[in-house]
Amino acid sequence: NAVALEFILNVDEIIYEAMFSDAAKHMMESMEQYVREVAPDEEGRTSDLEAYKAHQENRTWNLFSPTLYYLIFPSRLFAMLFVVAFFLLKYYTEHCVYWGDG
């Protein structure tokens, strides 16, 4: 059990060592630590619930907002899909002959 637990705890480091290039490893090592920017209370502490509530108040998108989909799907992807579809349709309409039997 101890060996299995050790493997599970170190699987991310194994993947990191095996898959990342030297340049990516250097960038990962050069990154600064993330600092949570939530205003502390009177004692200087913030709870996870307070941080969650602050996030919910500052969130400007929802499931039906176009901003969410603009952030998730890159516009260049849709532009390239449109260009590829246009030229495929153009090729097939100009060079293919439709016969009744297929």
Side-chain angles (χ1 to χ4, degrees):
N1 289 340
V3 175
L5 180 62
E6 183 69 23
F7 176 76
I8 290 171
L9 293 175
N10 290 328
V11 73
D12 61 335
E13 294 174 12
I14 295 169
I15 292 172
Y16 173 78
E17 289 295 327
M19 304 294 275
F20 279 39
S21 66
D22 291 335
K25 289 178 188 176
H26 176 70
M27 285 190 285
M28 291 293 290
E29 292 167 359
S30 300
M31 292 179 72
E32 296 179 8
Q33 206 57 343
Y34 176 73
V35 179
R36 201 167 79 176
E37 297 181 13
V38 176
D41 59 5
E42 298 85 40
E43 291 90 29
R45 297 174 298 182
T46 56
S47 69
D48 290 336
L49 181 61
E50 291 170 350
Y52 174 76
K53 288 179 182 178
H55 170 71
Q56 291 299 328
E57 290 173 1
N58 294 330
R59 192 174 73 175
T60 59
W61 52 265
N62 61 26
L63 188 60
F64 301 108
S65 67
T67 307
L68 172 66
Y69 297 107
Y70 180 75
L71 293 172
I72 293 175
F73 301 110
S75 58
R76 291 178 74 184
L77 172 68
F78 290 119
M80 290 308 301
L81 288 174
F82 176 75
V83 168
V84 168
F86 172 76
F87 283 110
L88 275 173
L89 181 66
K90 183 178 184 296
Y91 173 81
Y92 282 117
T93 56
E94 291 178 358
H95 294 92
C96 295
V97 178
Y98 176 74
W99 290 343
D101 61 349

